[in-house]
Amino acid sequence: MRKNGVKMIKIKAKDVDVFYGKKQALFNISLDIEENQVTALIGPSGCGKSTFLRCLNRMNDVIDICNVKGEILINDFNINDKSCDVVRLREKIGMVFQKPNPFPKTLYENVSYGPTIHGMAQSKQEMDEIVETSLKKAALWEEVKDRLHEPGTGLSGGQQQRLCIARAISVRPEVILMDEPCSALDPIATAQIEELIDELKKEHTIIIVTHSMAQAARVSQNTGFFHLGQLIEHGSTDKIFKNPDNKKTQDYITGRFG
Amino acid sequence: MNLILFTFIVLLGFTSYYFGRKKAYTIQSTKKRLTALPQFYGYYLAIWCAIPAFIIFSLWAIFEPTIVKLLILSDYSNQGYLDDELNLIYEKTKALSRGQFTGEITPFIEASAEKYLSLRSIAQSSKVVIVLSAIIASVAYAYKRISSNSRTREPVEKFLNAVLFTASLAAILTTVGIVFSLIFQTIDFFKVIPLFDFVFGTHWYPAKAFVRDSSEALDPTMYSDTFGAVPIFAGTFFIAFIAMCVAIPIGLMSGIYLAEYASTKVRQYAKPLIEILAGIPTVVYGFFAALTVGPFLKELGTSMGLEVSAESALAAGGVMGIMIIPFISSLSDDVITSVPQSLRDGSYAMGATKSETIKRVIFPAALPGIVGSILLGVSRAIGETMIVVMASGLAANLTLNPLESTSTITAQIVVILIGDQAFGDPKTQAAFALGMSLFLVTLCLNIVALRVVKKYREKYE
Ligand SMILES: Nc1ncnc2c1ncn2[C@@H]1O[C@H](COP(=O)(O)OP(=O)(O)OP(=O)(O)O)[C@@H](O)[C@H]1O
Ligand SMILES: [Mg+2]
C-alpha cells in the first residue's frame, strides 16, 4: 500500500544478532521490509538467510541453543519483547518451508488446522468457506475439490507445496515467509508458485529466500544479499541486479562465487 | 573327540579360505582381471570345506545309532525275545558300557557291551577318516577349478542366502512344532471334556480331577463342572484390563514427556531409570504385589469399611501395569521422537502451542507405533504369570470385583503342571488346551493390531 507515494514499512529489523550456542550466525542485521511487496533474500549457502527468516516469526525459539538479540518491529511492535504473544504473532506471520510438510491428515484438515486452533470459524459452513477460499487462492482448488478428505501426503510435490501455502494463508496472515519454497519442485510447479506469489502480494507482505537469481529477479521488488551472516546490500531488485553498490553482490549475482 | 574334530575342521575352513584368497592374488599378479574380489575365492573354498563336513556329520548322527543297535541286537535274533525285551537289553548294554549299570551282569550283556564299545570306536575313527578325506577331496577339487574367470561370487551369495533361509525356516518350524504339540493334546482333552463345557462352563476346579485313582476307568460325567474356562478367561482379561488401565496413561504420558518436554539432561537420566523397571524380574514384582501392595490395599480397604481380599485382582493388575509402563513409555518415546521435525515446525509456524501440536499432529502421526507398543503391552499382560500366581491367588472365581481374588490362564497352567502329573490325564491335557487358547487369543490380538496399523498407514502414507 502506498500513501502519497511513500512506501509503508511492515517489518523493521534493528541490529539483530543471532547466536547458535557460542557461534554467531547473524551480525548486526538491519533491514526494512515494505508492505505488500515481495522481498527476496539471496546469498550463498549457510550465510544465515533461513536464520533471519526464522527470527521474524520467532521460530528460532524452537531451537534450544538459539539466541536472538536486537529489535524486530512488526507494525511498530517489538516481537522480541517479553510481552509478545508468540501464538498471536505466528497467526499473523505465516511460513512455508523448503520441503513441503503437509500434516498426515486429510487435505481439509490440513487447511482447517490454523483456523481451528485460532477459533476463526463459528460453524462448519464458515470453515468450509475458509478452506475453499484458501485452496482457491493457492490455485489448488480445481485439482483437489473432489478429494478433500483424502490424505494430504498423497499429493504430488508441487501440489503439496501449494497445500502448504493454502494452509499458511488460511489464517489470513499479514506476512508470509517462504524458505526456498520451490527448491523441491519442477519448472512447471515453480512457475505456478511464482504466479501465485505475484497474486498473493496484493494482500500479504511476502519474504522469500531463494537460490535462484532468476526467481528473485522475476518475483521480487526488493532484494537483500546476505554473506557470512552479514547483510551486504539491500534495495530494490532492479538496482541490486543491474547496478549493485558492492562488489561481492555483483560477483554473486553474476555467478562468480557461491 | 568330536570337539577336537570340529575344531580341526574349523581350522581347515580357515586354511582353505586363506588358500583360496592366495590363489586369487596369484592370479591377480599375472595381470588378469578377476571376476570377484579375492575374498570371494576364499569364502568359496571355505564353503566347499563346510558342506561335505556338514553332510557327513548329519548322516552320521542320523544313522550311527540305528546301525549300532541293529548290529548288537543281531546276536539276539531268533531267540524268541520280544521287541520290548530287546530294547531293554540294548539299554542295559549301553549302561554297562558307560559303567553305569547296577543290576546283575550276565555274560551275554557283558559281551554285548564290549562289542558296543568296539563298534563305537570303529564308527568314530571311520567318521574322522571319512570326514577329513571328503573335505580334502572337495577343497582340492574346488581349488583346482578356480581360475581367473570362474564364478565364485554367485555361489557364495547363494550359500549365504541358503544359510539365512535355513535360519528363518528353523524359527518358523519351531513355532509350527509347538502348535502341533499343543493341538494333539488339546484334541485328546476335548475327547473327554466337551468343547461346549470348556468354553461356556463357569466352574474351574481342576483339583477335583486329583481325586481320581488312575486305575479307575475314565468317567466323563465326573469331570462335568471341573473344566469350565469362563472364570479364568474372564480373570485373564480382567487383570490385563486393570494392568492396561495403569500402564497406558502413565506410560503414554511419560513417553510424551520424555519425547517432547524433557530437556536433554532430564531425558538422559530419566529414560534409563524408567527402563530399569523393565529389567526387574517378574518374581520380584510378584512378591512386591503379594507382600506390599496386597496387604496395603487390604488395610486401606478395611479402614474405609470395604472388604478387600489379601490376594486381589487389583493388586496383581496394578503391579502388572507398573511392570508394563516402561514398554509403553520407552516405545512411544521412540516413535514420537521419530516423527519428523518438519511436521512440528509446520504446526508451530501456524501458531499452535506445544500441547496442540502434540495432540493434533504428533500423536496422530505416531499412532501406529503407539498402538503397536500398547498391543505389545497387552500381550505381556495376558502372558504374565508370576505376579498373578503370587498376588492374585489360584482360586478361579468368576467375579468382576477387583477387590476379590481371581485367577488367569497362565496361573492355572502353573497350578495344573506343578507336582505330579501323568500324561494322558485330562488334568494335564487341560494345560495344553489352555495353552492353545492363550495362543489363539494372542494370535487374534496380533492380527487385529497389524490390521489396524496397516489401515492407518494406507490412509496417511
Ligand atoms: N539448528 C542449528 N544449530 C546450530 N547451528 C545452526 C543451526 N541452524 C543453522 N545453523 C548455522 O547458522 C548458519 C546459518 O544457517 P542458515 O540455515 O540460516 O543458512 P542459509 O543461508 O539458510 O543456508 P541455505 O541456503 O543452505 O539454506 C550456518 O552456519 C549454520 O551452520
Ligand atoms: Mg536455509
Side-chain angles (χ1 to χ4, degrees), chain A residues 3 68 77 84 133 170 220:
Chain A
K3 274 185 192 160
V68 180
F77 176 76
C84 171
T133 38
S170 63
S220 72

Side-chain angles (χ1 to χ4, degrees), chain A residues 32-104:
Chain A
D32 292 347
I33 308 274
E34 289 169 15
E35 191 166 22
N36 291 76
Q37 300 279 303
V38 179
T39 303
L41 304 181
I42 59 172
S45 185
C47 66
K49 306 177 297 289
S50 301
T51 304
F52 181 70
L53 206 62
R54 291 164 66 93
C55 289
L56 302 180
N57 63 346
R58 301 249 318 247
M59 276 299 278
N60 282 327
D61 291 8
V62 177
I63 302 170
D64 286 338
I65 56 167
C66 190
N67 195 357
V68 180
K69 296 217 170 79
E71 269 186 8
I72 295 172
L73 304 175
I74 296 184
N75 299 340
D76 295 323
F77 176 76
N78 181 12
I79 63 164
N80 283 342
D81 196 75
K82 275 203 202 73
S83 64
C84 171
D85 175 5
V86 182
V87 169
R88 286 274 138 331
L89 170 71
R90 289 182 188 155
E91 187 186 336
K92 272 190 281 182
I93 318 269
M95 190 166 197
V96 177
F97 295 82
Q98 177 168 1
K99 240 184 81 207
N101 58 349
F103 300 135

Side-chain angles (χ1 to χ4, degrees), chain A residues 90 101 105 113 118 151 153, chain B residues 342 347-348 350 360 459-460:
Chain A
R90 289 182 188 155
N101 58 349
K105 294 167 171 287
Y113 187 79
H118 295 298
T153 38
Chain B
S342 66
S347 174
Y348 291 140
M350 292 303 300
R360 292 170 185 270
K459 208 169 154 204
Y460 286 127

